[in-house]
Amino acid sequence: MKSISIKLCVVLITLFSNTLLAQEFQGKAIYQSKTTVDMDNFGGRQMSEEQKKMITERMKSMLEKTFILTFNRTESTYKEEEKLETPGSGGGPWRGMMSSFTGGPQYKNVKESKLLQEQEFFGKQFLVVDELETLEWKMEGETKQIGQYTCYKATAVKKVDEMDFMNMRRRRDRGNDEKEKAEKSKDSVDRDDPMSELEVPKEITITAWYTPQIPVNQGPGEYWGLPGLILEVNAGRTTILCSKIVMNPEEKEEIKMPSKGKEVTREEYNQIMKDKIEEMREMYGGRGGRGNRRF
């Protein structure tokens, strides 16, 4: 009996120690995110190089961001670094719409496959609740050094959210589809509507670089599921690169689920955005009117 009691105590102490370690272990990674935009996709063919440069510069604050990933073995938060807004970097209602695609604080729980994100859209606060997407990663065998860490390459095919405007592109030429060409030629309204010439691809190939030297299956944004912290992601026109890592900082930050806003699913939130975009298209001239030029 005494032997059994000792073994039981050892097991309980081990379990307690592992739980304590899991709670205490924490890391912080700083990521630089940059998205490139092909101005020709947004009417840039009719713009001068000076106009393209001016618009690209005004969009810089939306396309180049710094994020902080705070993580332990099972949970993480991913937040944009707070910065003072540059004077003259406005953009009216369209800026409000575009800023919604990056969202607010994001929480991941890889053990429970849970993803939560605060999202402010035109002055209204939402809490988007979703399941973590499980990507089928393919280990490529290539390695490279990122800072002091040896990283391994992995790729996966990811479905693109239908409202992901960061991956928007001009529609592919469907010259072989005579029926579609004929229907399009009959519809002069669609020819005059710039949004009708754009599309979001159904899927893109993701390239990630992870390091087993930090053995957690966490990463920036919604990316996760590799045997090591993901330090770099290339997804469509966006590159996310880790620039600094602090392991077990002296002042630990509480990792907690966001709670602000009306709780909605991703599908519900997408529908809210669709309705607002349609409202704005009508407000700004919509279906081929003069206001469409301003759009």
Side-chain angles (χ1 to χ4, degrees):
M1 284 292 294
K2 186 176 180 180
S3 175
I4 294 173
S5 298
I6 293 173
K7 288 180 180 179
L8 183 59
C9 287
V10 170
V11 170
L12 290 174
I13 291 171
T14 302
L15 288 172
F16 177 77
S17 299
N18 289 339
T19 302
L20 190 63
L21 283 171
Q23 290 173 343
E24 290 183 347
F25 168 81
Q26 191 177 105
K28 183 174 288 189
I30 312 299
Y31 291 87
Q32 309 298 325
S33 174
K34 184 174 182 179
T35 301
T36 59
V37 173
D38 184 352
M39 291 304 299
D40 288 343
N41 282 348
F42 298 89
R45 294 178 182 180
Q46 286 75 43
M47 297 180 189
S48 66
E49 290 303 317
E50 186 178 344
Q51 288 174 317
K52 290 181 183 180
K53 184 177 179 181
M54 180 184 70
I55 292 174
T56 301
E57 189 62 31
R58 294 195 69 178
M59 293 175 69
K60 189 173 181 180
S61 62
M62 292 184 283
L63 301 176
E64 297 182 17
K65 295 177 178 290
T66 301
F67 291 91
I68 301 171
L69 177 73
T70 304
F71 60 91
N72 57 32
R73 298 187 191 282
T74 59
E75 300 173 287
S76 68
T77 57
Y78 189 63
K79 304 177 184 178
E80 183 181 349
E81 183 182 62
E82 293 185 8
K83 292 181 181 178
L84 292 175
E85 190 163 316
T86 306
S89 63
W94 293 110
R95 176 178 170 80
M97 183 179 70
M98 290 301 294
S99 64
S100 72
F101 299 129
T102 54
Q106 183 189 77
Y107 168 88
K108 289 200 305 286
N109 187 316
V110 298
K111 185 177 181 180
E112 298 178 3
S113 192
K114 184 183 294 185
L115 177 67
L116 286 82
Q117 182 156 17
E118 289 182 4
Q119 202 98 29
E120 184 180 344
F121 189 56
F122 282 91
K124 294 183 179 180
Q125 194 76 33
F126 297 92
L127 179 63
V128 182
V129 180
D130 204 357
E131 286 189 10
L132 276 175
E133 180 182 1
T134 302
L135 297 177
E136 295 185 7
W137 292 106
K138 178 184 177 184
M139 306 304 179
E140 301 290 351
E142 297 178 40
T143 64
K144 74 173 181 178
Q145 202 76 9
I146 297 180
Q148 67 187 68
Y149 299 96
T150 300
C151 295
Y152 294 81
K153 182 179 180 181
T155 59
V157 175
K158 182 180 185 298
K159 292 181 180 179
V160 179
D161 188 279
E162 60 180 336
M163 299 305 291
D164 183 358
F165 278 38
M166 291 300 183
N167 280 302
M168 184 176 278
R169 66 189 182 192
R170 182 171 292 277
R171 290 186 184 278
R172 294 169 182 254
D173 181 18
R174 300 183 178 91
N176 294 328
D177 194 335
E178 296 299 331
K179 182 179 179 181
E180 185 168 338
K181 285 179 68 179
E183 288 177 354
K184 188 174 180 181
S185 66
K186 291 177 184 177
D187 190 354
S188 61
V189 172
D190 279 350
R191 287 204 309 271
D192 292 334
D193 184 352
M195 291 297 288
S196 70
E197 296 298 320
L198 303 175
E199 68 178 359
V200 175
K202 293 186 183 299
E203 58 186 29
I204 56 175
T205 298
I206 308 297
T207 299
W209 295 87
Y210 69 94
T211 177
Q213 291 171 254
I214 305 177
V216 297
N217 59 351
Q218 294 279 0
E222 68 270 32
Y223 301 106
W224 69 291
L226 286 166
L229 181 66
I230 299 173
L231 300 190
E232 182 178 335
V233 174
N234 295 287
R237 296 183 179 277
T238 299
T239 297
I240 306 172
L241 179 62
C242 183
S243 58
K244 182 180 179 180
I245 297 175
V246 179
M247 298 302 297
N248 291 314
E250 291 184 9
E251 294 186 12
K252 291 183 171 57
E253 180 180 330
E254 183 182 0
I255 298 176
K256 57 182 181 180
M257 293 187 290
S259 58
K260 294 180 181 178
K262 178 183 177 182
E263 188 172 312
V264 293
T265 64
R266 174 56 62 182
E267 291 76 13
E268 290 170 336
Y269 184 71
N270 283 350
Q271 189 59 52
I272 291 168
M273 286 200 290
K274 287 178 186 178
D275 293 342
K276 188 64 178 180
I277 290 170
E278 187 58 35
E279 177 188 323
M280 293 191 68
R281 288 173 69 183
E282 292 177 3
M283 185 187 304
Y284 281 81
R287 307 294 296 174
R290 282 188 195 174
N292 212 23
R293 295 190 182 94
R294 292 200 303 274
F295 172 86

